[in-house]
Amino acid sequence: MKGGFASLSFFVVCVVSIILFGCGDAIPSSKGSRTSGAFSKIDDPLPIVRFGLYWDSLVVDSGVIKNGQSLSHLLDPYKVGAGKIATLAANSRNTYEVRDMRAGKRWWVATRRDSLSTPAWLIYERNSIDYVVFSLGDTLGARLGSYPVDTVYSHVKGEISRSLYLDLEEVGAPTNLAVAMAGVYAWTIDFTHVQKGDKFDVYYSRKRVNGNEVGMPTILSCSFNHHGTDLLAYRFDQGDGADYFDPQGASLRKAFLKSPVEFSRISSSFNKKRFHPVLKRIKPHLGTDYAAKTGTPILAVGDGVVIKSAYTKNNGNYVKIRHNNTYETQYLHMSKRKCSVGDRVRQGEVIGLVGSTGLATGPHVCFRFWKNGEQVDHRQEKFPPSTPVRSNAMDAFAAEVRRLEAAAKSIELSTN
Ligand SMILES: [Zn+2]
């Protein structure tokens, strides 16, 4: 179904951890954790609990930390003395360093209703999920807390008509789902070149805190039909962190070939301060030279699209390949080019022959590796592993694939 969108949420157990210290308005520990009374009946109101405190027994001020405002500035209107603030900061150090408080973050100062004295609590919101509760009473100190987090599961489908970004927005998905998809398919799809008619089908989850969806979506399973080929991805953790695999259990990440020429030797390494043998001066060498006989095949180190195939005075005959949003590779001094701009090439495919055209003393390939538009030494790069699902985890993987497919489908069926 084109443009179909369905979403269903499940509430996942929310845990507010409550650690008590001092006395006063904190919830007795025997009650453990609970959510707020938002769904209770009006004639039987549950006390409002916020930050692990009985909120309606407190008089609360709130605001946002201003530029240059320190903890003592913040507490100054509440007559909390400098000595007390220093003790508070010292006592809190192992839990939270007060110097890490930042402008733009929210705060609440809570005073007991029956008290005209100094406030009992200061709450500082660290981010959309986490906060710190400072105790300003007899015991000075801090504890960390987190808002209850729901996980919301969604399933979107659509077809590319303008761009992945806009078409996801059209079906009601968060636009950073495009970023998450680009991450999953970083090694297989160049999302700057998706085409009209490509189809996507994504099952993902997001965190929801205080009614707002926060953070990046987590893709659980995904299908992207690109150039008429279905590229499926399933999230699975075989014990070394979650990764994405195709239905056969192969990693969606691909390793690059170690070098573009077989049976070659490195004649010059990547070196930012190299003395150039032809120019006779210091000139950074932003590539790795592989010496081999003229006519030796030069291989694409990874799948990609040829973005340059040309001749220049310095490079001689050269080819540049775009592999994905992050990586490009370039191959210089060819005697002959074997591909043209726009060609899709596979890893290991012959794209040219070794030569010494351009600024070269002998037959070699100057191999240049680009990462995010910058030339880097590929031999120093740490590439993500591309381990497939191990044989002893294949049954668990197959079960997870079935579970994800059923879960995605159930969302679709329940709302159509
Ligand atoms: Zn070189």
Side-chain angles (χ1 to χ4, degrees), residues 293-332:
K293 275 187 194 148
T294 299
T296 307
I298 299 169
L299 316 176
V301 296
D303 294 0
V305 176
V306 176
I307 54 169
K308 272 178 190 155
S309 175
Y311 179 92
T312 64
K313 202 171 108 226
N314 287 353
N315 292 355
N317 281 312
Y318 78 102
V319 166
K320 192 169 183 183
I321 298 173
R322 182 183 165 87
H323 300 285
N324 52 45
N325 290 343
T326 309
Y327 298 115
E328 292 168 344
T329 54
Q330 205 180 12
Y331 313 73
L332 276 51

Side-chain angles (χ1 to χ4, degrees), residues 274 285 287-289 333 364 366 368:
R274 178 227 209 177
H285 185 225
T288 304
D289 289 347
H333 314 307
H364 77 282
C366 182
R368 290 170 176 233

Side-chain angles (χ1 to χ4, degrees), residues 141-359:
R143 66 172 166 86
L144 302 178
S146 303
Y147 293 117
V149 178
D150 296 333
T151 304
V152 182
Y153 294 85
S154 306
H155 184 186
V156 294
K157 280 179 171 194
E159 193 173 310
I160 304 292
S161 62
R162 290 170 297 168
S163 74
L164 181 62
Y165 192 81
L166 293 171
D167 294 314
L168 281 171
E169 200 171 35
E170 180 111 325
V171 296
T175 44
N176 57 4
L177 188 60
V179 179
M181 286 173 72
V184 170
Y185 291 112
W187 300 77
T188 30
I189 301 172
D190 178 355
F191 276 102
T192 59
H193 286 87
V194 296
Q195 56 180 24
K196 224 174 153 174
D198 282 356
K199 293 179 190 70
F200 56 86
D201 184 328
V202 194
Y203 174 54
Y204 64 95
S205 68
R206 285 194 86 189
K207 285 188 177 129
R208 188 166 60 191
V209 178
N210 294 327
N212 300 312
E213 298 196 348
V214 299
M216 280 292 283
T218 300
I219 292 178
L220 302 167
S221 67
C222 188
S223 154
F224 197 84
N225 185 285
H226 187 46
H227 291 281
T229 309
D230 264 329
L231 296 156
L232 299 164
Y234 298 93
R235 189 171 199 269
F236 180 66
D237 186 347
Q238 56 178 336
D240 40 15
D243 202 356
Y244 293 91
F245 300 94
D246 74 8
Q248 284 73 46
S251 173
L252 257 70
R253 289 197 255 255
K254 293 206 176 82
F256 286 115
L257 295 180
K258 294 255 184 295
S259 86
V261 194
E262 288 173 320
F263 313 113
S264 59
R265 66 178 178 85
I266 292 174
S267 53
S268 174
S269 296
F270 186 98
N271 180 356
K272 288 191 169 166
K273 291 189 182 130
R274 178 227 209 177
F275 183 78
H276 198 278
V278 179
L279 298 173
K280 308 278 185 223
R281 62 177 170 85
I282 301 282
K283 187 174 185 283
H285 185 225
L286 302 177
T288 304
D289 289 347
Y290 292 90
K293 275 187 194 148
T294 299
T296 307
I298 299 169
L299 316 176
V301 296
D303 294 0
V305 176
V306 176
I307 54 169
K308 272 178 190 155
S309 175
Y311 179 92
T312 64
K313 202 171 108 226
N314 287 353
N315 292 355
N317 281 312
Y318 78 102
V319 166
K320 192 169 183 183
I321 298 173
R322 182 183 165 87
H323 300 285
N324 52 45
N325 290 343
T326 309
Y327 298 115
E328 292 168 344
T329 54
Q330 205 180 12
Y331 313 73
L332 276 51
H333 314 307
M334 293 174 167
S335 59
K336 199 170 168 42
R337 286 177 274 127
K338 294 272 203 185
C339 57
S340 341
V341 172
D343 285 357
R344 307 193 142 265
V345 292
R346 308 288 303 180
Q347 182 175 67
E349 197 172 316
V350 177
I351 52 167
L353 304 176
V354 172
S356 49
T357 56
L359 208 57

